[in-house]
Amino acid sequence: MASLKLSSLTKRFGANAAVNGVDLTVDHGLLVCLLGPSGCGKTTTLRLLAGFIDPDDGQIAVNGRIVSTPNATLPPEKRNMSMIFQSYALWPHMTIWDNVAYGLKLRRLPRDDIERRVSAMLGVVKMKEYADRYPSELSGGQQQRVALARALVVEPETLLLDEPLSNLDANLREEMRFEIRRLHDEFRYTTVYVTHDQSEAMTTADMIVVMNLGRIEQAGSPEEIYERPASEFVARFIGGTNILRGRHIGDGVVEGKGFRLFCAQGEPAREGETAVSVRPHKVQMLQANPGAAADNVIRGRIVRQVYLGASRDYLVEQDSGHQVRLTTDTIQSIDVGSVVWLRMPPEHCRALPR
Ligand code: ATP
């Protein structure tokens, strides 16, 4: 297992910095997800880690040994890393057995060792009975399992995964997320996993690194990232949220157009605008006016209601014109056009500096 340390890592393509001063430490045996919108620099970071490209600034160290700097990089094959791509990249002319054995043959391991390790690994990914087939005779999910087996059988210190599930259908993707986590719990290779799928990251990661425009916005456990987003970008990107903008008038109270909210969470901006984040499922909807004494209440009118099976999704327009989304139990069915009062509990109002 390896520990990874990225320091001020920067990669430019022309005038555009795809990765811009990234600092990140990944401890031994952790599974870290790089998560962020398209073009935020996830794949470039992974390719820098693999040694496929050189940084323009900064460095990468593996187990304390520097492997990438602008002047010198250790070639990919000397890094003891395995990488899995979106496209599986299995050898089409080789059987499943030969695909998995390939890396071990390359390392000139004794025949018995190869037999034992390939057989064990095909067992782990539940593909033993397919050993004699060719990749074209397998489903996408089965091919991805073989790709995992091929990457793991060489016992890499680091496993790099680039959107490994994006070619699979929704059900299989969900199943494979748990499979990747199970394999990680079994082998505990240090893993860097690139995805733009939030629930994939939540299911698999010990640590999520949210990237935006080549930089790290926030790094933390899935719970930290969701419960305590450090920026508006993270709050919106992870889980979705309502943002209300105003000014902090002291003691955690943010005042905006038509509202005054006490925020028990987060940190208001010292000056200028503060954004208040409230998750849709934390907003309570009342049909009667709770009175002027009630805290954190905003009046509005329902403009949309959608039945989603497990919940109802409402869009409510405040008197100021600003819209708030909320989800409720399906029992609470209120007609479009009704006037309602939205209560935003202070413990779920998070002040975020802009
Ligand atoms: P996606 O989720 O769409 O794969 P990503 O977060 O992995 O996106 P990168 O592939 O790292 O993003 O790309 C980051 C930025 O760098 C993008 O603006 C991209 O266009 C640019 N970029 C990446 N590779 C190259 C290249 N070889 N030449 C020029 N620009 C590149």
Side-chain angles (χ1 to χ4, degrees):
M1 281 185 292
S3 67
L4 313 172
K5 191 166 173 24
L6 286 57
S7 313
S8 308
L9 196 68
T10 299
K11 179 69 191 175
R12 295 183 203 94
F13 294 110
N16 173 32
V19 174
N20 197 356
V22 162
D23 290 307
L24 177 68
T25 301
V26 180
D27 290 334
H28 290 273
L30 281 194
L31 193 160
V32 172
C33 274
L34 303 183
L35 181 66
S38 184
C40 71
K42 306 178 296 287
T43 299
T44 305
T45 305
L46 207 67
R47 292 175 66 213
L48 285 161
L49 269 168
F52 296 149
I53 49 174
D54 305 336
D56 291 308
D57 263 313
Q59 63 180 42
I60 300 172
V62 178
N63 289 333
R65 176 184 175 206
I66 293 169
V67 296
S68 289
T69 68
N71 306 320
T73 49
L74 193 68
E77 63 277 11
K78 298 233 166 95
R79 295 191 176 209
N80 207 3
M81 295 179 175
S82 281
M83 184 148 171
I84 301 184
F85 303 91
Q86 225 177 71
S87 57
Y88 329 125
L90 299 177
W91 304 108
H93 59 286
M94 286 187 199
T95 63
I96 298 315
W97 179 279
D98 288 336
N99 261 282
V100 177
Y102 183 77
L104 300 176
K105 286 184 184 162
L106 220 58
R107 286 167 175 76
R108 299 184 191 288
L109 258 66
R111 216 187 141 104
D112 286 357
D113 258 14
I114 296 179
E115 293 276 320
R116 186 177 44 78
R117 279 166 66 168
V118 172
S119 169
M121 191 48 72
L122 285 175
V124 167
V125 297
K126 304 183 180 114
M127 288 299 294
K128 232 174 181 165
E129 65 265 42
Y130 299 90
D132 296 331
R133 289 205 195 172
Y134 287 88
S136 62
E137 296 168 331
L138 299 184
S139 72
Q142 290 166 336
Q143 289 184 55
Q144 198 51 284
R145 276 173 208 276
V146 176
L148 272 166
R150 191 180 58 172
L152 291 173
V153 80
V154 296
E155 299 182 356
E157 284 189 330
T158 311
L159 186 60
L160 305 175
L161 304 168
D162 190 6
E163 305 253 10
L165 307 184
S166 55
N167 281 343
L168 305 181
D169 69 43
N171 286 339
L172 204 54
R173 212 158 51 218
E174 208 173 324
E175 191 188 314
M176 282 300 287
R177 282 175 200 159
F178 291 109
E179 188 70 3
I180 287 179
R181 185 65 226 187
R182 179 182 73 82
L183 289 172
H184 184 259
D185 288 340
E186 194 167 334
F187 295 100
R188 300 220 71 90
Y189 295 126
T190 305
T191 303
V192 183
Y193 186 138
V194 164
T195 178
H196 58 260
D197 184 320
Q198 185 208 132
S199 33
E200 209 164 291
M202 295 292 243
T203 314
T204 51
D206 297 305
M207 174 161 81
I208 293 178
V209 175
V210 183
M211 293 185 70
N212 184 25
L213 302 172
R215 296 177 187 275
I216 294 180
E217 283 270 336
Q218 191 176 357
S221 69
E223 196 168 330
E224 265 169 52
I225 296 276
Y226 184 83
E227 297 291 341
R228 294 181 288 286
S231 67
E232 187 179 327
F233 175 84
V234 176
R236 281 185 190 278
F237 193 75
I238 308 286
T241 197
N242 293 292
I243 297 286
L244 294 97
R245 297 181 195 287
R247 274 176 188 277
H248 183 228
I249 58 168
D251 298 327
V253 178
V254 176
E255 205 172 63
K257 216 170 152 194
F259 73 86
R260 178 184 277 214
L261 293 174
F262 174 58
C263 303
Q265 301 282 334
E267 204 158 323
R270 287 213 187 87
E271 47 191 60
E273 202 172 63
T274 289
V276 179
S277 158
V278 199
R279 302 276 187 203
H281 64 284
K282 297 297 185 187
V283 179
Q284 298 160 4
M285 187 161 55
L286 313 168
Q287 281 184 279
N289 186 349
D295 279 340
N296 284 25
V297 173
I298 302 174
R299 203 181 89 113
R301 188 180 293 275
I302 297 176
V303 292
R304 190 188 72 198
Q305 194 233 92
V306 183
Y307 172 76
L308 292 175
S311 61
R312 281 181 204 276
D313 189 302
Y314 286 92
L315 194 64
V316 173
E317 190 163 292
Q318 298 167 36
D319 294 343
S320 66
H322 183 82
Q323 294 185 331
V324 172
R325 230 184 111 187
L326 64 137
T327 50
T328 68
D329 199 298
T330 48
I331 294 170
Q332 193 174 20
S333 173
I334 309 175
D335 293 336
V336 168
S338 307
V339 171
V340 289
W341 284 263
L342 302 182
R343 178 158 190 277
M344 321 233 171
E347 65 275 23
H348 297 302
C349 289
R350 187 170 186 82
L352 300 166
R354 286 221 81 192

